[in-house]
Amino acid sequence: MLLGLASIAFSKLSADAVIDLVCENGLEILEWNEVHIPAGNIKEAERVRRRAGEKGLRTISYAAKFSVLTEAAESFSRVLKTADALGTDMVCLNTGLALSSIDAQEASRQLVQRVQELSDMAKKAGMKLCFFYRCDAFFDDYLRVVSLMEEINRDNVFLNWQPKLTSSLIFNIFELKMLLRFVQHVYIYYKDSASRNSLIIEGRDEWQQYMKVLKEKEERAIMFRGCSQESFAEDCALLREWLKKAEV
């Protein structure tokens, strides 16, 4: 498995500072967020790609602020071009919808159709789509997600998974196994009961179990998405240690 960082974890740092931090701590990959690289800013995306490449880093995905159901294809084309300029073949999206405020059945029908259209656009550009599991009203329940993914029925549409804070380890492992065929990458973080970022070591037992489930796919990445700069070096060292144990 690959180890890396989602740049949104350090949204207040510049792109160059994020690159330096990742390099200093021996990580391999980056997921850039639109906070750092706005969609359509091709010149900056190419500059960041060169800088990351000089440090031996690879961009694995681009997280865009694109509204799946409401924005035009032209806007999505800008997202795809920006991802390409960054050197990645994956775009990560949220639907941006709240189930409580809409007709869920009708929205699901529209979502399936729209994702199919976007995935076809992406495929023509040599790109894949990935949706944030847990960060999205439509992608927060494994039964609904399995149904949606099967209806979408595209070989370039995936999920980025993260565990549910309020669920048991047993449930999260079960859920991960049910979704594993769709899971491309995983976000690592650990939060306390007040949803505050805590030291990763406090989630040691849980994450070692998740890694055992995930290890079969070498190109699958584990990325920090919630962490503190102060403990980042220690967290990175722990993650490498756990991954070695999981691979035994």
Side-chain angles (χ1 to χ4, degrees), residues 165-176:
L165 296 174
T166 56
S167 294
S168 67
L169 173 61
I170 292 174
F171 177 83
N172 282 334
I173 290 289
F174 170 77
E175 179 188 70
L176 177 57

Side-chain angles (χ1 to χ4, degrees), residues 7 13-19 32-53 59 62 81-87:
S7 74
L13 296 182
S14 68
D16 289 324
V18 169
I19 290 170
W32 287 109
N33 190 279
E34 202 165 333
V35 168
H36 288 103
I37 317 290
N41 193 339
I42 304 302
K43 186 175 291 187
E44 176 65 0
E46 290 175 340
R47 185 195 72 81
V48 168
R49 177 183 183 175
R50 287 194 298 272
R51 178 102 201 295
T59 296
Y62 176 56
K81 289 176 181 176
T82 307
D84 183 61
L86 281 167

Side-chain angles (χ1 to χ4, degrees), residues 157-204:
V157 179
F158 301 93
L159 301 172
N160 278 357
W161 183 83
Q162 57 188 8
K164 191 173 185 177
L165 296 174
T166 56
S167 294
S168 67
L169 173 61
I170 292 174
F171 177 83
N172 282 334
I173 290 289
F174 170 77
E175 179 188 70
L176 177 57
K177 288 179 177 179
M178 293 300 101
L179 294 168
L180 198 58
R181 58 184 163 135
F182 306 118
V183 173
Q184 189 74 8
H185 305 308
V186 172
Y187 297 119
I188 185 169
Y189 63 94
Y190 194 76
K191 294 188 178 183
D192 61 21
S193 57
S195 292
R196 294 171 301 200
N197 287 330
S198 299
L199 294 176
I200 296 295
I201 193 170
E202 295 179 28
R204 177 183 57 193

Side-chain angles (χ1 to χ4, degrees), residues 13-176:
L13 296 182
S14 68
D16 289 324
V18 169
I19 290 170
D20 290 340
L21 188 63
V22 169
C23 186
E24 288 166 7
N25 287 285
L27 301 183
E28 305 161 272
I29 56 168
L30 277 160
E31 174 185 275
W32 287 109
N33 190 279
E34 202 165 333
V35 168
H36 288 103
I37 317 290
N41 193 339
I42 304 302
K43 186 175 291 187
E44 176 65 0
E46 290 175 340
R47 185 195 72 81
V48 168
R49 177 183 183 175
R50 287 194 298 272
R51 178 102 201 295
E54 289 168 359
K55 296 282 189 176
L57 303 175
R58 179 160 67 95
T59 296
I60 204 165
S61 54
Y62 176 56
K65 297 177 181 177
F66 176 81
S67 179
V68 172
L69 288 182
T70 59
E71 289 195 51
E74 182 179 344
S75 296
F76 189 60
S77 180
R78 284 198 298 272
V79 170
L80 294 175
K81 289 176 181 176
T82 307
D84 183 61
L86 281 167
T88 181
D89 64 353
M90 177 162 286
V91 171
C92 298
L93 303 172
N94 274 327
T95 64
L97 296 173
L99 285 174
S100 59
S101 62
I102 56 175
D103 180 331
Q105 187 172 359
E106 175 59 20
S108 293
R109 185 192 65 79
Q110 293 179 21
L111 180 64
V112 168
Q113 182 177 353
R114 181 61 166 158
V115 172
Q116 288 174 335
E117 293 169 357
L118 295 176
S119 70
D120 292 345
M121 277 185 67
K123 193 161 191 175
K124 288 179 181 178
M127 295 278 176
K128 297 176 282 191
L129 300 185
C130 211
F131 285 89
F132 295 108
Y133 190 76
R134 284 283 174 251
C135 300
D136 194 298
F138 273 89
F139 290 88
D140 70 347
D141 176 88
Y142 80 92
L143 290 173
R144 179 168 58 245
V145 168
V146 168
S147 178
L148 279 171
M149 294 294 280
E150 289 178 346
E151 284 187 69
I152 291 167
N153 192 29
R154 292 293 189 272
D155 62 5
N156 65 330
V157 179
F158 301 93
L159 301 172
N160 278 357
W161 183 83
Q162 57 188 8
K164 191 173 185 177
L165 296 174
T166 56
S167 294
S168 67
L169 173 61
I170 292 174
F171 177 83
N172 282 334
I173 290 289
F174 170 77
E175 179 188 70
L176 177 57

